Amino acid sequence: MLDLSTNVQYVKGIGPRYAAMLLEKGITTVEDLLYYLPFRYEDRLNPRGISELRAGEMASVIATVRTSGLFRTRRMPLFEMTVGEGRNTLKCIWFNAAYLQDKFRAGQLVALYGKVEADSRHPDRLQIMQPQFEILDDPIERGAQADEEQRKWQTLETGRIVPIYESAGKGRLTARWFRRIIHGMLERMEGELPDAIPPAVRGQMGLIDRKSAFWQAHWPEVGESLAQLQAARTPALFRLIFEELFFLELGLELKRRKMRAQTGVSFAINDQVRAAVKRILPFHPTAAQKRVLKEIVDDMREPSPMRRLLQGDVGSGKTIVAFEAAVIAIENGYQVALMAPTEILATQHYLSARKILEKAGYRIVLLTGSQEASRKQHTRRHIAQGSAQLVIGTHALIQESVEFDRLGLVIVDEQHRFGVMQRFRLMKKPGEADPDVLVMTATPIPRTLALTLYGDLDTSVLDELPPGRTPIKTKRVGDDAAEKVWEFVRKQVKAGRQAYVVYPVIDDGAMEGELKAAIKMHDQLRKRELAVLRVGLLHGRMSADEKDATMAAFQRGAIDVLVSTTVIEVGVDVPNASVMVVEHAERFGLAQLHQLRGRIGRGAAQSYCVLMTGGRVSPEAEERLDAMVRTQDGFEIAELDLQQRGPGEFFGTKQAGMPNFRVANLLRDRDVLELARKQARFVLEGPNAQITQQEIANAVMHLRAHWNRRYGLVEVG
Ligand code: ADP
Ligand code: MG
């Protein structure tokens, strides 16, 4: 008897040798194999005739082999094959494919998939380079072994929509192999599969049962459309996607409820605290800042620990909000930790904290990884004794086992760069209340995605820029206009402004290339184009002290032009800098460009962003540059970025602790995500007339046993 947890080696046709190959794909159980879904489907029910093909499209063709042979060109052997009949023929070409000689024979029926193009020498004829192929029927072999089994497979591989699997085991486990194995396995699985989604939810969502869902996800019903399958909106795929997202949302909701039930610090807000907060404000907060602060304050007063995400585009003024929260905590007699992703940023926060909080007279310390051991030792002692009230640092704060005396609030800047949510606990003493946590991010995250990735956090959005900002003028120029650009920079500096010039990571030599570009250009600009100006250099390989010194010089205006790699990307705040020149802008991602541009437009002066391109610009890069010129809206830019890079890249899968989905795709399935979230909440509101205690317990048990680890929700339960 096969059940979901049976090891695949016991599935008919697999055995230990193939099981070892499957392991490469992370497949160990029957369930894993069921989730090994086709990456596409091929319509072999209505295959198109060769006469219907058009150059430029992806197509699958079923046809009969006419001739084939190996040709030696000067560069490499080419295998050429012609399929079809009469005037309707199609040429297929494979490079370096001597091994195909023995595969194909005239008269075989083959399925081919690939991009159709016009033959360069005979433009009226079509060809496919390197098509994927499958031999569907071979008259010679058929003569030899015309058994039942053989015929049965034939009907699975033609005359229907056929699942195409990624091959495994260095090509030995072919799509065809997976078809047979999975089909056979499904046939041998008896009875229904256990389903932990409560019946009421199944009913409301119109879900089909799990077993049918797997059957039809692998073997679509005759009559289903390829378009529906591609969009993953057949009943089968919908059911599997919903299931996955439902348990994710259930987990997040449970985590959130559990957090709520924990004891945190309940901060008091009295007149004295209010006065202290007022005193530090260097300007009138925007309406958005006021609203967000109120949301934070409401959380801080509650006895349950705050878990709040503060989203705000670059320059929206998150820092001051964070400092206000810090004042509340410190005035209540607690310590505050502020963590930044880089030393530059930590240092900058430290400097601005000292300035802004000066009147309050707090003891503020800085702790970063590159400090001398004795100094760190000293700082740690102050933290442990409670005499340091605001502790600013990098993740050294977590890594170097810093223990606080009375930690009340943790502020994390740009959290998505290092997933540390789970480890805040390490910083507080056992038995003490959970500190409040405020996470700040400048990556505008489309709402539904924010709900999922940070579904256990409450969200605040700073959706308004401080007043007095003039929109940044963004221009794109080719690097043949460089002379004009430098002239412009000189003019701006003469008018009292400062400028950044940024160089990208260069693909070939990774870090080395990047450094060389910045270092070389720094040298050149200093001697030639910008010789009359004070030009500084900043890059990742400099020591922390050198970086600090350079940043400080730029900040106080002792440097006019800062030549840099992307180390200045996040958070750096020099309001007088109003020009950003990005060279090779085509090599930067959208989020990066947006972050870079966010370094300017921070003061009252008109700011300019110049995106220089050199060499070939891909269509995607064109799209990015167009978007940058068109808009400054972080959410709009984030949407396009997400589409271009996909969710994994967008969030930096590993750091963010992105759930490792089996079927769902956050970009494609945002609508399902929203439904799943509603249903998860509905279930946890129960029990009620529709859902019993038992059903809820079942769902939670299933979540723990099957999904928790995959989602990284280790704390649930
Ligand atoms: P970010 O959200 O990118 O961290 P910052 O907190 O660095 O933005 O703020 C950007 C700039 O705007 C800073 O120079 C800050 O002093 C200024 N600023 C923030 N809030 C206001 C405000 N309400 N009025 C005027 N200037 C503000
Ligand atoms: Mg900031």
Side-chain angles (χ1 to χ4, degrees), residues 318-319 345 348-349 413-414 440 442 571 599 602:
K318 295 183 288 293
T319 317
L345 266 185
Q348 183 182 289
H349 277 315
D413 198 4
E414 309 292 346
M440 303 194 286
R599 298 309 108 218
R602 298 180 154 244

Side-chain angles (χ1 to χ4, degrees), residues 283-286 289 313-320 466-467 469 573 575 602:
F283 31 61
H284 288 292
T286 62
Q289 283 170 324
D313 209 346
V314 283
S316 59
K318 295 183 288 293
T319 317
I320 193 71
R469 303 271 172 89
D573 183 30
R602 298 180 154 244

Side-chain angles (χ1 to χ4, degrees), residues 470 472-473 483-501 529-530 532-534 554 559-561 575-581 600-601 604-610:
T470 332
I472 299 169
K473 291 201 171 129
E483 195 35 59
K484 275 206 192 116
V485 173
W486 303 130
E487 189 190 319
F488 178 72
V489 170
R490 289 194 299 263
K491 265 225 255 352
Q492 287 293 309
V493 171
K494 215 161 167 198
R497 307 277 97 78
Q498 288 165 283
Y500 298 98
V501 181
E529 290 89 342
L530 305 178
V532 292
L533 310 181
R534 294 164 300 173
F554 190 60
I559 290 176
D560 301 314
V561 177
N576 190 50
S578 66
V579 180
M580 166 69 59
V581 178
I600 58 171
Q606 173 66 54
S607 286
Y608 302 90
C609 175
V610 183

Side-chain angles (χ1 to χ4, degrees), residues 109-125:
L109 187 67
V110 293
L112 300 155
Y113 178 79
K115 185 165 185 193
V116 179
E117 1 179 289
D119 184 328
S120 52
R121 269 165 299 166
H122 311 280
D124 54 325
R125 287 191 217 159

Side-chain angles (χ1 to χ4, degrees), residues 510-512 515 519 538-544 546-547 565 567:
M511 271 296 271
E512 294 302 330
L515 284 181
I519 293 171
L538 188 75
H539 61 72
R541 291 272 180 89
M542 289 161 59
S543 76
E546 286 173 305
K547 277 190 272 188
T565 58
V567 288

Side-chain angles (χ1 to χ4, degrees), residues 136-156:
L136 299 177
D137 190 14
D138 188 329
I140 299 175
E141 263 181 37
R142 180 149 39 92
Q145 39 165 303
D147 57 10
E148 271 301 298
E149 190 80 339
Q150 189 70 22
R151 251 196 304 283
K152 182 178 138 195
W153 292 121
Q154 230 91 72
T155 64
L156 280 183

Side-chain angles (χ1 to χ4, degrees), residues 437-449:
V437 178
L438 179 67
V439 177
M440 303 194 286
T441 176
T443 309
I445 306 168
R447 199 184 105 85
T448 44
L449 298 186

